Amino acid sequence: MIKIKFCGLTRRADVQAAVAAGADAIGLVFYPKSPRAVSVAQAAELVQAVPAFVSTVALVVNIDDEQLQHIFQALPLDLIQFHGDESPEQCQRQAALVGRRWIKALRINAALHDEQSIGAMIDELAAAGASAVLLDAYHADKFGGTGERFDWSIIPKQASLPIILAGGLTPENVSLAAQLAIYAVDVSGGIEADKGIKDADKMQRFVANLRHCQQFDGQA
């Protein structure tokens, strides 16, 4: 069963709607330049709305040690999602500082990457102790959240880490993702009414469409 992460939530009501829709994980953005960024104080209120067995993920971009430690000393978050230019070694070191498991986002550009090169990058992350890898679309000026897709045909069929697919996912196309060799999907813009404002109906349709496709595939 493919796991579902809803990312970039900024309102308590949206967290509650995401949980009700069936999200497995909630992503909070600690990157000040993002329109979906939250402060530690805002995040504290959001985390209170997350029940047991739903994971909370801190998305960070090129964060320094002091800021990272402040976040995890203040909040009971489960995972770190490194979404910047961090090396595998830097991710490993910073995750150890706060005693958390971690995942790393790779920005995929079909003009530069292929299945083999992506697999090699995933191997480096696996060797450094990552729990999963997130594949997102490359953008020259943005660290994710672009709503753009990359060429899914270059996703490795076999990889040394579980693959989380992000970038351009919507309720309308998520059924296509169910056919890929992935562990999870990660969506932000595709379930929004506006930047950082989630749409409860879109969240419900996203989950329902993915689950329906998986159920149909399982019966085939």
Side-chain angles (χ1 to χ4, degrees), residues 71-209:
I71 290 169
F72 280 90
Q73 287 168 357
L75 301 167
L77 302 171
D78 299 308
L79 288 163
I80 310 171
Q81 178 177 323
F82 292 104
H83 216 99
D85 301 313
E86 306 91 353
S87 68
E89 293 75 23
Q90 182 180 353
C91 294
Q92 182 184 51
R93 183 187 64 78
Q94 288 195 305
L97 282 177
V98 294
R100 294 298 192 281
R101 294 181 300 142
W102 58 279
I103 60 180
K104 176 71 175 83
L106 299 177
R107 294 184 290 160
I108 304 302
N109 182 345
L112 300 175
H113 302 124
D114 58 21
E115 185 173 343
Q116 289 70 37
S117 65
I118 295 170
M121 291 189 291
I122 294 174
D123 288 344
E124 291 182 6
L125 293 170
S131 293
V133 61
L134 184 146
L135 303 183
D136 199 359
Y138 172 82
H139 190 286
D141 304 316
K142 297 179 181 179
F143 294 101
T146 64
E148 298 175 7
R149 285 172 56 181
F150 65 93
D151 181 0
W152 291 351
S153 70
I154 60 175
I155 295 174
K157 307 300 186 296
Q158 294 183 324
S160 52
L161 286 175
I163 292 175
I164 304 164
L165 177 63
L169 288 165
T170 67
E172 290 69 39
N173 68 21
V174 70
S175 60
L176 300 175
Q179 304 168 25
L180 304 172
I182 59 173
Y183 170 74
V185 289
D186 188 333
V187 60
S188 184
I191 52 168
E192 287 183 331
D194 200 358
K195 296 285 188 181
I197 306 300
K198 303 310 184 194
D199 182 307
D201 178 65
K202 288 182 180 180
M203 287 192 282
Q204 290 171 357
R205 286 193 292 114
F206 187 94
V207 175
N209 289 349

Side-chain angles (χ1 to χ4, degrees), residues 3-93:
K3 304 295 184 183
I4 298 172
K5 174 174 171 275
F6 288 159
C7 196
L9 283 80
T10 62
R11 306 187 304 174
R12 186 184 181 97
D14 291 345
V15 173
Q16 293 170 329
V19 171
D24 299 292
I26 301 298
L28 303 178
V29 177
F30 296 94
Y31 179 50
K33 294 182 180 181
S34 170
R36 303 175 180 95
V38 293
S39 67
V40 169
Q42 287 175 300
E45 180 182 357
L46 299 178
V47 171
Q48 289 177 355
V50 181
F53 308 129
V54 175
S55 298
T56 52
V57 184
L59 186 157
V60 299
V61 176
N62 302 328
I63 196 169
D64 64 37
D65 292 353
E66 183 177 355
Q67 291 174 312
L68 185 69
Q69 288 175 309
H70 174 60
I71 290 169
F72 280 90
Q73 287 168 357
L75 301 167
L77 302 171
D78 299 308
L79 288 163
I80 310 171
Q81 178 177 323
F82 292 104
H83 216 99
D85 301 313
E86 306 91 353
S87 68
E89 293 75 23
Q90 182 180 353
C91 294
Q92 182 184 51
R93 183 187 64 78

